[in-house]
Amino acid sequence: MSFSNELDKLYSISLPSTRSGVFFNTFAYPTKISPEIIAIYIAVHTKPRETVLDVFGGSGSTGIAAMMCEHPTEQMLKISKDLDIKPVWGPRNAIIYELGKYGSFASDTVCNPPESKEFTKIAKEFIKEAKKDLGWIYKAKDPSGMDATLRHIIWSDVIKCPECGHEFSYYEAAVEYNPMKIRKNCNCPQCSVNKKIEEYEHCLETKYDKLLEKEVTTRKRIPVRIYGQTGTQKWSRLVNNDDLERIEHVESMSYFEHDFPKAVVWGDLYRAGYHTGITHLHHFYTRRNYYVMSYLWEKASQYNGRIRDALRLLLLSYNASHSTLMTRVVVKKKSKDFVLTGAQNGVLYISSLPVEKNILVGIERKIKIFERAYKYINDCNGNVEILNASSEVLDIDNDSIKYVFTDPPFGDYIPYAEINQINELWLGETTDRCREIIVSPAQNKKVDDYGEMLKTVFKEISRVLRRDGLATIVFHSSKADVWHELRASFENANLLVKNTSILDKTQSSFKQVVSDISVQGDPVILLGKGEGVHEDTPSIEILDETIKKALSEGNKDVRNIYSRYLTSCLDRGVAIMLGAKEAYEYVRERVEVNIYEC
């Protein structure tokens, strides 16, 4: 079967970027694509030992995927069989450019890890020693008064009645059991007035900050419910005086000599409400968890080379998602208690019920996950080079790259440098935001600025791409002007659309989840060298055609229809004139009545 036919089959169906696999649970990263799916693209577009380039490396999925081509998983083999495509399996090499400090660190550590058994042995000793030194800090008493281990504590904002000024916890106001739910209204315990909870003011408090050596004003929070374990028995109860005394003791402790203030640089994610008073890294933590994290980081720094980096990544893999006040609880239908979950993806959100987890227990559980991932990579022969640099200038020869797979920043969707600074501040170096290719009011980068930087990158892609080379671009945006800039960028570099598809990401960012105008599935664009063809068909006609075809297939998913409209416009060289908001309104009107029925 010809190479062209294989490509047609590959791009004829939406591939699933699943929430599973060897590497999925190693560490979180915004808009992460599963390397198993990328590996299929690489194995179809290249031959063993050839090199794939990723100019927006992110978490290093393309580098991992290049090596996975040597040892395809059952999932990869099944998807290939279902698509009736025949990837050529075998080791590939990869060159990964990533501007972000955390992304490049994590990528390099996973793609070039220590020996898995050595890592596991040292990591277990590392945690054992930490528990010996710090085990007391997560001690608690169970409901019967026996010694136990703290699993996590739910904290609560304190709110104030607008009528009488009485202060009480958000937990007391909002949480209701049997059935479990979050109330929208509550009665003030003091004056009994009934109001929407959003009408109650969040209280602030001023405390002396020992690390900053000055007073700071932040949201007032109190611990309300503790979850622990006695032997194998798990339990929960309300916080008591013993818990409060232990917390007070920890908060009275001095910081380590190696600690120093690490300032947070706010940008587009700052919200005056729940971020009030958060100016430095330690403000994202309870005093206890910052103390533990600081101890562990210093201890990991005493090791050398790959082991040190692997221990650091182990800590950071748990850090931003589970060690900070961004950890939260949610209520699910028919649940008898809260469901514990990590930080919201793609934001720096602190809820009114933040959670303090036992870091030592959490990190210990991740050792086996990393051992599995490192063992897989240890058995691979591909070479992955990670460059922590801007992709606007590539140190690569002209006409030397056969294939590019990359996932550019989606305009103003994710300010990666701002989000990743929670981990980067521990690494001691943050990303240069001047070179970050995003739309950002905080950085004064408008859509056209984003487009100009993107054009520079696509010119570099075109320069290093062989005459017969191809580039797969995964992109997502709900805004027509962002799509305009992407299209202008690759057309300006004499790259034309050869095929399109949709990547079905099952892990969405926070904005994708909550937005009424998010796109279901990320368009996948196959580019090659040459001048594109432009149709005169109006964009709205293409949307009509897309709706009609979708309805004939029984598809009424508005978001999916919009994604298909995007790929159709790209395929036919037609400018995308409709953003998701306008398109959704148009599609919904027609889907509801199906005006296309004869």
Side-chain angles (χ1 to χ4, degrees), residues 543-544 546-552 554-562 564 583-597:
L543 181 55
D544 278 322
T546 305
I547 299 169
K548 185 177 181 179
K549 187 173 189 298
L551 290 175
S552 71
N555 177 10
K556 295 184 179 182
D557 187 327
V558 175
R559 296 181 180 184
N560 178 263
I561 290 171
Y562 182 66
R564 292 169 67 171
Y584 285 3
E585 292 176 0
Y586 187 85
V587 174
R588 285 192 182 104
E589 289 176 0
R590 281 145 183 81
V591 166
E592 287 174 5
V593 298
N594 194 355
I595 65 170
Y596 305 99
E597 284 185 321

PDB file of all heavy atoms in Angstrom, residues 543-544 546-552 554-562 564 583-597:
ATOM      1  N   LEU A 543     -19.892  26.021   6.542  1.00  0.00           N
ATOM      2  CA  LEU A 543     -20.525  25.664   7.808  1.00  0.00           C
ATOM      3  C   LEU A 543     -21.864  24.982   7.548  1.00  0.00           C
ATOM      4  O   LEU A 543     -22.196  23.981   8.190  1.00  0.00           O
ATOM      5  CB  LEU A 543     -20.713  26.900   8.691  1.00  0.00           C
ATOM      6  CG  LEU A 543     -21.343  26.652  10.071  1.00  0.00           C
ATOM      7  CD1 LEU A 543     -20.563  25.607  10.863  1.00  0.00           C
ATOM      8  CD2 LEU A 543     -21.440  27.948  10.871  1.00  0.00           C
ATOM      9  N   ASP A 544     -22.640  25.485   6.604  1.00  0.00           N
ATOM     10  CA  ASP A 544     -23.917  24.854   6.254  1.00  0.00           C
ATOM     11  C   ASP A 544     -23.703  23.423   5.769  1.00  0.00           C
ATOM     12  O   ASP A 544     -24.430  22.497   6.156  1.00  0.00           O
ATOM     13  CB  ASP A 544     -24.629  25.665   5.173  1.00  0.00           C
ATOM     14  CG  ASP A 544     -25.403  26.852   5.733  1.00  0.00           C
ATOM     15  OD1 ASP A 544     -26.000  26.691   6.819  1.00  0.00           O
ATOM     16  OD2 ASP A 544     -25.406  27.915   5.106  1.00  0.00           O
ATOM     17  N   THR A 546     -21.228  21.494   6.495  1.00  0.00           N
ATOM     18  CA  THR A 546     -20.763  20.689   7.625  1.00  0.00           C
ATOM     19  C   THR A 546     -21.926  20.270   8.517  1.00  0.00           C
ATOM     20  O   THR A 546     -22.017  19.116   8.947  1.00  0.00           O
ATOM     21  CB  THR A 546     -19.730  21.485   8.450  1.00  0.00           C
ATOM     22  OG1 THR A 546     -18.671  21.935   7.601  1.00  0.00           O
ATOM     23  CG2 THR A 546     -19.145  20.620   9.560  1.00  0.00           C
ATOM     24  N   ILE A 547     -22.834  21.206   8.778  1.00  0.00           N
ATOM     25  CA  ILE A 547     -24.005  20.902   9.610  1.00  0.00           C
ATOM     26  C   ILE A 547     -24.869  19.831   8.938  1.00  0.00           C
ATOM     27  O   ILE A 547     -25.303  18.866   9.571  1.00  0.00           O
ATOM     28  CB  ILE A 547     -24.847  22.177   9.871  1.00  0.00           C
ATOM     29  CG1 ILE A 547     -24.032  23.229  10.617  1.00  0.00           C
ATOM     30  CG2 ILE A 547     -26.094  21.834  10.677  1.00  0.00           C
ATOM     31  CD1 ILE A 547     -24.701  24.596  10.676  1.00  0.00           C
ATOM     32  N   LYS A 548     -25.103  20.019   7.661  1.00  0.00           N
ATOM     33  CA  LYS A 548     -25.950  19.082   6.917  1.00  0.00           C
ATOM     34  C   LYS A 548     -25.369  17.671   6.939  1.00  0.00           C
ATOM     35  O   LYS A 548     -26.073  16.692   7.190  1.00  0.00           O
ATOM     36  CB  LYS A 548     -26.106  19.567   5.472  1.00  0.00           C
ATOM     37  CG  LYS A 548     -27.067  18.724   4.638  1.00  0.00           C
ATOM     38  CD  LYS A 548     -27.224  19.323   3.243  1.00  0.00           C
ATOM     39  CE  LYS A 548     -28.197  18.497   2.408  1.00  0.00           C
ATOM     40  NZ  LYS A 548     -28.366  19.081   1.058  1.00  0.00           N
ATOM     41  N   LYS A 549     -24.064  17.574   6.710  1.00  0.00           N
ATOM     42  CA  LYS A 549     -23.405  16.265   6.718  1.00  0.00           C
ATOM     43  C   LYS A 549     -23.459  15.635   8.113  1.00  0.00           C
ATOM     44  O   LYS A 549     -23.723  14.438   8.269  1.00  0.00           O
ATOM     45  CB  LYS A 549     -21.952  16.400   6.265  1.00  0.00           C
ATOM     46  CG  LYS A 549     -21.238  15.058   6.076  1.00  0.00           C
ATOM     47  CD  LYS A 549     -19.857  15.279   5.458  1.00  0.00           C
ATOM     48  CE  LYS A 549     -19.220  13.955   5.057  1.00  0.00           C
ATOM     49  NZ  LYS A 549     -18.991  13.049   6.184  1.00  0.00           N
ATOM     50  N   ALA A 550     -23.217  16.458   9.147  1.00  0.00           N
ATOM     51  CA  ALA A 550     -23.239  15.948  10.521  1.00  0.00           C
ATOM     52  C   ALA A 550     -24.620  15.418  10.888  1.00  0.00           C
ATOM     53  O   ALA A 550     -24.761  14.339  11.476  1.00  0.00           O
ATOM     54  CB  ALA A 550     -22.810  17.036  11.493  1.00  0.00           C
ATOM     55  N   LEU A 551     -25.662  16.155  10.519  1.00  0.00           N
ATOM     56  CA  LEU A 551     -27.027  15.733  10.833  1.00  0.00           C
ATOM     57  C   LEU A 551     -27.393  14.450  10.095  1.00  0.00           C
ATOM     58  O   LEU A 551     -28.117  13.607  10.632  1.00  0.00           O
ATOM     59  CB  LEU A 551     -28.018  16.845  10.491  1.00  0.00           C
ATOM     60  CG  LEU A 551     -27.962  18.083  11.391  1.00  0.00           C
ATOM     61  CD1 LEU A 551     -28.904  19.159  10.878  1.00  0.00           C
ATOM     62  CD2 LEU A 551     -28.303  17.726  12.833  1.00  0.00           C
ATOM     63  N   SER A 552     -26.878  14.303   8.878  1.00  0.00           N
ATOM     64  CA  SER A 552     -27.153  13.077   8.122  1.00  0.00           C
ATOM     65  C   SER A 552     -26.528  11.856   8.793  1.00  0.00           C
ATOM     66  O   SER A 552     -26.956  10.729   8.583  1.00  0.00           O
ATOM     67  CB  SER A 552     -26.627  13.201   6.691  1.00  0.00           C
ATOM     68  OG  SER A 552     -25.216  13.171   6.662  1.00  0.00           O
ATOM     69  N   GLY A 554     -26.375  11.714  12.097  1.00  0.00           N
ATOM     70  CA  GLY A 554     -26.942  11.672  13.441  1.00  0.00           C
ATOM     71  C   GLY A 554     -26.115  12.407  14.471  1.00  0.00           C
ATOM     72  O   GLY A 554     -26.281  12.219  15.677  1.00  0.00           O
ATOM     73  N   ASN A 555     -25.218  13.263  14.008  1.00  0.00           N
ATOM     74  CA  ASN A 555     -24.328  14.010  14.906  1.00  0.00           C
ATOM     75  C   ASN A 555     -24.907  15.397  15.169  1.00  0.00           C
ATOM     76  O   ASN A 555     -25.008  16.217  14.260  1.00  0.00           O
ATOM     77  CB  ASN A 555     -22.941  14.123  14.268  1.00  0.00           C
ATOM     78  CG  ASN A 555     -21.979  14.949  15.106  1.00  0.00           C
ATOM     79  OD1 ASN A 555     -22.266  15.309  16.255  1.00  0.00           O
ATOM     80  ND2 ASN A 555     -20.821  15.247  14.533  1.00  0.00           N
ATOM     81  N   LYS A 556     -25.286  15.681  16.420  1.00  0.00           N
ATOM     82  CA  LYS A 556     -25.813  16.999  16.783  1.00  0.00           C
ATOM     83  C   LYS A 556     -24.909  17.714  17.778  1.00  0.00           C
ATOM     84  O   LYS A 556     -25.322  18.681  18.413  1.00  0.00           O
ATOM     85  CB  LYS A 556     -27.221  16.842  17.386  1.00  0.00           C
ATOM     86  CG  LYS A 556     -28.249  16.303  16.408  1.00  0.00           C
ATOM     87  CD  LYS A 556     -29.634  16.273  17.031  1.00  0.00           C
ATOM     88  CE  LYS A 556     -30.681  15.759  16.033  1.00  0.00           C
ATOM     89  NZ  LYS A 556     -32.042  15.766  16.625  1.00  0.00           N
ATOM     90  N   ASP A 557     -23.674  17.226  17.914  1.00  0.00           N
ATOM     91  CA  ASP A 557     -22.710  17.827  18.841  1.00  0.00           C
ATOM     92  C   ASP A 557     -22.195  19.139  18.247  1.00  0.00           C
ATOM     93  O   ASP A 557     -21.414  19.144  17.291  1.00  0.00           O
ATOM     94  CB  ASP A 557     -21.544  16.863  19.080  1.00  0.00           C
ATOM     95  CG  ASP A 557     -20.592  17.337  20.169  1.00  0.00           C
ATOM     96  OD1 ASP A 557     -20.413  18.560  20.303  1.00  0.00           O
ATOM     97  OD2 ASP A 557     -20.027  16.486  20.868  1.00  0.00           O
ATOM     98  N   VAL A 558     -22.643  20.257  18.820  1.00  0.00           N
ATOM     99  CA  VAL A 558     -22.324  21.579  18.278  1.00  0.00           C
ATOM    100  C   VAL A 558     -20.825  21.826  18.254  1.00  0.00           C
ATOM    101  O   VAL A 558     -20.282  22.371  17.277  1.00  0.00           O
ATOM    102  CB  VAL A 558     -23.045  22.672  19.093  1.00  0.00           C
ATOM    103  CG1 VAL A 558     -22.626  24.057  18.635  1.00  0.00           C
ATOM    104  CG2 VAL A 558     -24.557  22.521  18.984  1.00  0.00           C
ATOM    105  N   ARG A 559     -20.139  21.425  19.293  1.00  0.00           N
ATOM    106  CA  ARG A 559     -18.691  21.664  19.370  1.00  0.00           C
ATOM    107  C   ARG A 559     -17.942  20.838  18.336  1.00  0.00           C
ATOM    108  O   ARG A 559     -16.989  21.315  17.712  1.00  0.00           O
ATOM    109  CB  ARG A 559     -18.179  21.360  20.782  1.00  0.00           C
ATOM    110  CG  ARG A 559     -18.771  22.290  21.840  1.00  0.00           C
ATOM    111  CD  ARG A 559     -18.227  21.987  23.216  1.00  0.00           C
ATOM    112  NE  ARG A 559     -18.808  22.887  24.212  1.00  0.00           N
ATOM    113  CZ  ARG A 559     -18.471  22.921  25.488  1.00  0.00           C
ATOM    114  NH1 ARG A 559     -17.553  22.085  25.932  1.00  0.00           N
ATOM    115  NH2 ARG A 559     -19.044  23.769  26.324  1.00  0.00           N
ATOM    116  N   ASN A 560     -18.366  19.590  18.162  1.00  0.00           N
ATOM    117  CA  ASN A 560     -17.721  18.747  17.167  1.00  0.00           C
ATOM    118  C   ASN A 560     -17.974  19.283  15.757  1.00  0.00           C
ATOM    119  O   ASN A 560     -17.081  19.257  14.896  1.00  0.00           O
ATOM    120  CB  ASN A 560     -18.235  17.313  17.290  1.00  0.00           C
ATOM    121  CG  ASN A 560     -17.631  16.384  16.254  1.00  0.00           C
ATOM    122  OD1 ASN A 560     -18.223  16.127  15.210  1.00  0.00           O
ATOM    123  ND2 ASN A 560     -16.433  15.890  16.535  1.00  0.00           N
ATOM    124  N   ILE A 561     -19.181  19.761  15.515  1.00  0.00           N
ATOM    125  CA  ILE A 561     -19.511  20.334  14.201  1.00  0.00           C
ATOM    126  C   ILE A 561     -18.623  21.537  13.914  1.00  0.00           C
ATOM    127  O   ILE A 561     -18.130  21.717  12.788  1.00  0.00           O
ATOM    128  CB  ILE A 561     -21.004  20.727  14.136  1.00  0.00           C
ATOM    129  CG1 ILE A 561     -21.878  19.463  14.113  1.00  0.00           C
ATOM    130  CG2 ILE A 561     -21.297  21.600  12.915  1.00  0.00           C
ATOM    131  CD1 ILE A 561     -23.364  19.726  14.265  1.00  0.00           C
ATOM    132  N   TYR A 562     -18.380  22.363  14.932  1.00  0.00           N
ATOM    133  CA  TYR A 562     -17.504  23.525  14.725  1.00  0.00           C
ATOM    134  C   TYR A 562     -16.083  23.076  14.394  1.00  0.00           C
ATOM    135  O   TYR A 562     -15.428  23.643  13.498  1.00  0.00           O
ATOM    136  CB  TYR A 562     -17.498  24.415  15.970  1.00  0.00           C
ATOM    137  CG  TYR A 562     -16.645  25.655  15.803  1.00  0.00           C
ATOM    138  CD1 TYR A 562     -16.997  26.649  14.895  1.00  0.00           C
ATOM    139  CD2 TYR A 562     -15.479  25.826  16.531  1.00  0.00           C
ATOM    140  CE1 TYR A 562     -16.219  27.782  14.723  1.00  0.00           C
ATOM    141  CE2 TYR A 562     -14.694  26.954  16.372  1.00  0.00           C
ATOM    142  CZ  TYR A 562     -15.061  27.933  15.472  1.00  0.00           C
ATOM    143  OH  TYR A 562     -14.274  29.048  15.299  1.00  0.00           O
ATOM    144  N   ARG A 564     -15.229  20.376  12.883  1.00  0.00           N
ATOM    145  CA  ARG A 564     -15.255  19.867  11.508  1.00  0.00           C
ATOM    146  C   ARG A 564     -15.325  21.011  10.503  1.00  0.00           C
ATOM    147  O   ARG A 564     -14.756  20.933   9.405  1.00  0.00           O
ATOM    148  CB  ARG A 564     -16.432  18.906  11.341  1.00  0.00           C
ATOM    149  CG  ARG A 564     -16.230  17.620  12.133  1.00  0.00           C
ATOM    150  CD  ARG A 564     -17.479  16.755  12.219  1.00  0.00           C
ATOM    151  NE  ARG A 564     -17.867  16.210  10.918  1.00  0.00           N
ATOM    152  CZ  ARG A 564     -18.810  15.290  10.761  1.00  0.00           C
ATOM    153  NH1 ARG A 564     -19.437  14.799  11.829  1.00  0.00           N
ATOM    154  NH2 ARG A 564     -19.119  14.848   9.560  1.00  0.00           N
ATOM    155  N   ALA A 583     -20.564  30.852  15.691  1.00  0.00           N
ATOM    156  CA  ALA A 583     -20.876  29.599  14.992  1.00  0.00           C
ATOM    157  C   ALA A 583     -21.840  28.740  15.808  1.00  0.00           C
ATOM    158  O   ALA A 583     -22.763  28.130  15.260  1.00  0.00           O
ATOM    159  CB  ALA A 583     -19.591  28.832  14.704  1.00  0.00           C
ATOM    160  N   TYR A 584     -21.656  28.696  17.125  1.00  0.00           N
ATOM    161  CA  TYR A 584     -22.516  27.862  17.962  1.00  0.00           C
ATOM    162  C   TYR A 584     -23.964  28.327  17.892  1.00  0.00           C
ATOM    163  O   TYR A 584     -24.895  27.512  17.829  1.00  0.00           O
ATOM    164  CB  TYR A 584     -22.040  27.888  19.413  1.00  0.00           C
ATOM    165  CG  TYR A 584     -20.799  27.058  19.663  1.00  0.00           C
ATOM    166  CD1 TYR A 584     -20.143  26.402  18.630  1.00  0.00           C
ATOM    167  CD2 TYR A 584     -20.270  26.943  20.941  1.00  0.00           C
ATOM    168  CE1 TYR A 584     -19.004  25.664  18.864  1.00  0.00           C
ATOM    169  CE2 TYR A 584     -19.130  26.199  21.188  1.00  0.00           C
ATOM    170  CZ  TYR A 584     -18.493  25.561  20.142  1.00  0.00           C
ATOM    171  OH  TYR A 584     -17.380  24.821  20.379  1.00  0.00           O
ATOM    172  N   GLU A 585     -24.157  29.626  17.933  1.00  0.00           N
ATOM    173  CA  GLU A 585     -25.522  30.172  17.836  1.00  0.00           C
ATOM    174  C   GLU A 585     -26.152  29.760  16.509  1.00  0.00           C
ATOM    175  O   GLU A 585     -27.311  29.345  16.452  1.00  0.00           O
ATOM    176  CB  GLU A 585     -25.491  31.689  17.970  1.00  0.00           C
ATOM    177  CG  GLU A 585     -25.099  32.184  19.366  1.00  0.00           C
ATOM    178  CD  GLU A 585     -24.975  33.693  19.435  1.00  0.00           C
ATOM    179  OE1 GLU A 585     -25.192  34.353  18.388  1.00  0.00           O
ATOM    180  OE2 GLU A 585     -24.641  34.222  20.521  1.00  0.00           O
ATOM    181  N   TYR A 586     -25.385  29.889  15.449  1.00  0.00           N
ATOM    182  CA  TYR A 586     -25.857  29.546  14.107  1.00  0.00           C
ATOM    183  C   TYR A 586     -26.170  28.044  14.012  1.00  0.00           C
ATOM    184  O   TYR A 586     -27.224  27.637  13.492  1.00  0.00           O
ATOM    185  CB  TYR A 586     -24.774  29.929  13.096  1.00  0.00           C
ATOM    186  CG  TYR A 586     -25.174  29.792  11.649  1.00  0.00           C
ATOM    187  CD1 TYR A 586     -25.848  30.820  10.994  1.00  0.00           C
ATOM    188  CD2 TYR A 586     -24.864  28.642  10.923  1.00  0.00           C
ATOM    189  CE1 TYR A 586     -26.202  30.702   9.652  1.00  0.00           C
ATOM    190  CE2 TYR A 586     -25.213  28.512   9.590  1.00  0.00           C
ATOM    191  CZ  TYR A 586     -25.888  29.555   8.959  1.00  0.00           C
ATOM    192  OH  TYR A 586     -26.238  29.434   7.636  1.00  0.00           O
ATOM    193  N   VAL A 587     -25.257  27.213  14.538  1.00  0.00           N
ATOM    194  CA  VAL A 587     -25.435  25.760  14.455  1.00  0.00           C
ATOM    195  C   VAL A 587     -26.630  25.313  15.291  1.00  0.00           C
ATOM    196  O   VAL A 587     -27.455  24.506  14.843  1.00  0.00           O
ATOM    197  CB  VAL A 587     -24.159  25.025  14.916  1.00  0.00           C
ATOM    198  CG1 VAL A 587     -24.406  23.514  14.976  1.00  0.00           C
ATOM    199  CG2 VAL A 587     -22.994  25.334  13.982  1.00  0.00           C
ATOM    200  N   ARG A 588     -26.762  25.842  16.511  1.00  0.00           N
ATOM    201  CA  ARG A 588     -27.855  25.420  17.395  1.00  0.00           C
ATOM    202  C   ARG A 588     -29.218  25.688  16.760  1.00  0.00           C
ATOM    203  O   ARG A 588     -30.127  24.861  16.854  1.00  0.00           O
ATOM    204  CB  ARG A 588     -27.744  26.146  18.740  1.00  0.00           C
ATOM    205  CG  ARG A 588     -26.634  25.612  19.637  1.00  0.00           C
ATOM    206  CD  ARG A 588     -26.748  26.146  21.051  1.00  0.00           C
ATOM    207  NE  ARG A 588     -25.639  25.658  21.875  1.00  0.00           N
ATOM    208  CZ  ARG A 588     -24.593  26.378  22.230  1.00  0.00           C
ATOM    209  NH1 ARG A 588     -24.504  27.650  21.843  1.00  0.00           N
ATOM    210  NH2 ARG A 588     -23.639  25.860  22.976  1.00  0.00           N
ATOM    211  N   GLU A 589     -29.368  26.844  16.137  1.00  0.00           N
ATOM    212  CA  GLU A 589     -30.644  27.178  15.498  1.00  0.00           C
ATOM    213  C   GLU A 589     -31.007  26.142  14.443  1.00  0.00           C
ATOM    214  O   GLU A 589     -32.167  25.734  14.321  1.00  0.00           O
ATOM    215  CB  GLU A 589     -30.557  28.564  14.849  1.00  0.00           C
ATOM    216  CG  GLU A 589     -30.509  29.713  15.850  1.00  0.00           C
ATOM    217  CD  GLU A 589     -30.333  31.053  15.153  1.00  0.00           C
ATOM    218  OE1 GLU A 589     -30.246  31.066  13.897  1.00  0.00           O
ATOM    219  OE2 GLU A 589     -30.270  32.081  15.847  1.00  0.00           O
ATOM    220  N   ARG A 590     -30.002  25.694  13.694  1.00  0.00           N
ATOM    221  CA  ARG A 590     -30.259  24.772  12.594  1.00  0.00           C
ATOM    222  C   ARG A 590     -30.369  23.315  13.059  1.00  0.00           C
ATOM    223  O   ARG A 590     -31.128  22.531  12.482  1.00  0.00           O
ATOM    224  CB  ARG A 590     -29.160  24.936  11.535  1.00  0.00           C
ATOM    225  CG  ARG A 590     -29.429  26.168  10.672  1.00  0.00           C
ATOM    226  CD  ARG A 590     -28.179  26.900  10.237  1.00  0.00           C
ATOM    227  NE  ARG A 590     -28.585  28.085   9.482  1.00  0.00           N
ATOM    228  CZ  ARG A 590     -28.984  29.227  10.061  1.00  0.00           C
ATOM    229  NH1 ARG A 590     -29.045  29.333  11.385  1.00  0.00           N
ATOM    230  NH2 ARG A 590     -29.338  30.268   9.321  1.00  0.00           N
ATOM    231  N   VAL A 591     -29.634  22.979  14.106  1.00  0.00           N
ATOM    232  CA  VAL A 591     -29.710  21.614  14.636  1.00  0.00           C
ATOM    233  C   VAL A 591     -31.071  21.368  15.279  1.00  0.00           C
ATOM    234  O   VAL A 591     -31.662  20.296  15.137  1.00  0.00           O
ATOM    235  CB  VAL A 591     -28.572  21.370  15.650  1.00  0.00           C
ATOM    236  CG1 VAL A 591     -28.835  20.107  16.465  1.00  0.00           C
ATOM    237  CG2 VAL A 591     -27.230  21.259  14.926  1.00  0.00           C
ATOM    238  N   GLU A 592     -31.575  22.379  15.989  1.00  0.00           N
ATOM    239  CA  GLU A 592     -32.851  22.215  16.703  1.00  0.00           C
ATOM    240  C   GLU A 592     -34.011  21.926  15.755  1.00  0.00           C
ATOM    241  O   GLU A 592     -34.900  21.134  16.059  1.00  0.00           O
ATOM    242  CB  GLU A 592     -33.141  23.470  17.531  1.00  0.00           C
ATOM    243  CG  GLU A 592     -32.248  23.585  18.771  1.00  0.00           C
ATOM    244  CD  GLU A 592     -32.439  24.903  19.490  1.00  0.00           C
ATOM    245  OE1 GLU A 592     -33.327  25.681  19.082  1.00  0.00           O
ATOM    246  OE2 GLU A 592     -31.699  25.166  20.454  1.00  0.00           O
ATOM    247  N   VAL A 593     -34.016  22.605  14.599  1.00  0.00           N
ATOM    248  CA  VAL A 593     -35.139  22.422  13.666  1.00  0.00           C
ATOM    249  C   VAL A 593     -34.764  21.613  12.441  1.00  0.00           C
ATOM    250  O   VAL A 593     -35.623  21.195  11.682  1.00  0.00           O
ATOM    251  CB  VAL A 593     -35.699  23.799  13.217  1.00  0.00           C
ATOM    252  CG1 VAL A 593     -36.236  24.552  14.408  1.00  0.00           C
ATOM    253  CG2 VAL A 593     -34.623  24.630  12.509  1.00  0.00           C
ATOM    254  N   ASN A 594     -33.453  21.368  12.257  1.00  0.00           N
ATOM    255  CA  ASN A 594     -32.942  20.637  11.091  1.00  0.00           C
ATOM    256  C   ASN A 594     -33.558  21.170   9.791  1.00  0.00           C
ATOM    257  O   ASN A 594     -34.340  20.491   9.121  1.00  0.00           O
ATOM    258  CB  ASN A 594     -33.197  19.132  11.222  1.00  0.00           C
ATOM    259  CG  ASN A 594     -32.365  18.328  10.202  1.00  0.00           C
ATOM    260  OD1 ASN A 594     -31.674  18.912   9.357  1.00  0.00           O
ATOM    261  ND2 ASN A 594     -32.439  17.016  10.288  1.00  0.00           N
ATOM    262  N   ILE A 595     -33.181  22.388   9.465  1.00  0.00           N
ATOM    263  CA  ILE A 595     -33.731  23.035   8.269  1.00  0.00           C
ATOM    264  C   ILE A 595     -33.242  22.381   6.985  1.00  0.00           C
ATOM    265  O   ILE A 595     -33.699  22.721   5.891  1.00  0.00           O
ATOM    266  CB  ILE A 595     -33.364  24.536   8.242  1.00  0.00           C
ATOM    267  CG1 ILE A 595     -31.836  24.696   8.118  1.00  0.00           C
ATOM    268  CG2 ILE A 595     -33.882  25.242   9.476  1.00  0.00           C
ATOM    269  CD1 ILE A 595     -31.415  26.127   7.853  1.00  0.00           C
ATOM    270  N   TYR A 596     -32.300  21.420   7.111  1.00  0.00           N
ATOM    271  CA  TYR A 596     -31.737  20.799   5.916  1.00  0.00           C
ATOM    272  C   TYR A 596     -32.533  19.566   5.482  1.00  0.00           C
ATOM    273  O   TYR A 596     -32.234  18.941   4.469  1.00  0.00           O
ATOM    274  CB  TYR A 596     -30.275  20.397   6.178  1.00  0.00           C
ATOM    275  CG  TYR A 596     -29.440  21.554   6.660  1.00  0.00           C
ATOM    276  CD1 TYR A 596     -29.175  21.722   8.020  1.00  0.00           C
ATOM    277  CD2 TYR A 596     -28.944  22.504   5.766  1.00  0.00           C
ATOM    278  CE1 TYR A 596     -28.423  22.786   8.470  1.00  0.00           C
ATOM    279  CE2 TYR A 596     -28.191  23.578   6.216  1.00  0.00           C
ATOM    280  CZ  TYR A 596     -27.935  23.708   7.564  1.00  0.00           C
ATOM    281  OH  TYR A 596     -27.201  24.782   8.013  1.00  0.00           O
ATOM    282  N   GLU A 597     -33.534  19.171   6.288  1.00  0.00           N
ATOM    283  CA  GLU A 597     -34.346  18.017   5.922  1.00  0.00           C
ATOM    284  C   GLU A 597     -35.188  18.349   4.687  1.00  0.00           C
ATOM    285  O   GLU A 597     -35.760  19.426   4.565  1.00  0.00           O
ATOM    286  CB  GLU A 597     -35.283  17.627   7.072  1.00  0.00           C
ATOM    287  CG  GLU A 597     -34.571  16.905   8.206  1.00  0.00           C
ATOM    288  CD  GLU A 597     -35.555  16.431   9.255  1.00  0.00           C
ATOM    289  OE1 GLU A 597     -36.512  17.162   9.563  1.00  0.00           O
ATOM    290  OE2 GLU A 597     -35.349  15.329   9.764  1.00  0.00           O
TER     291      GLU A 597
END
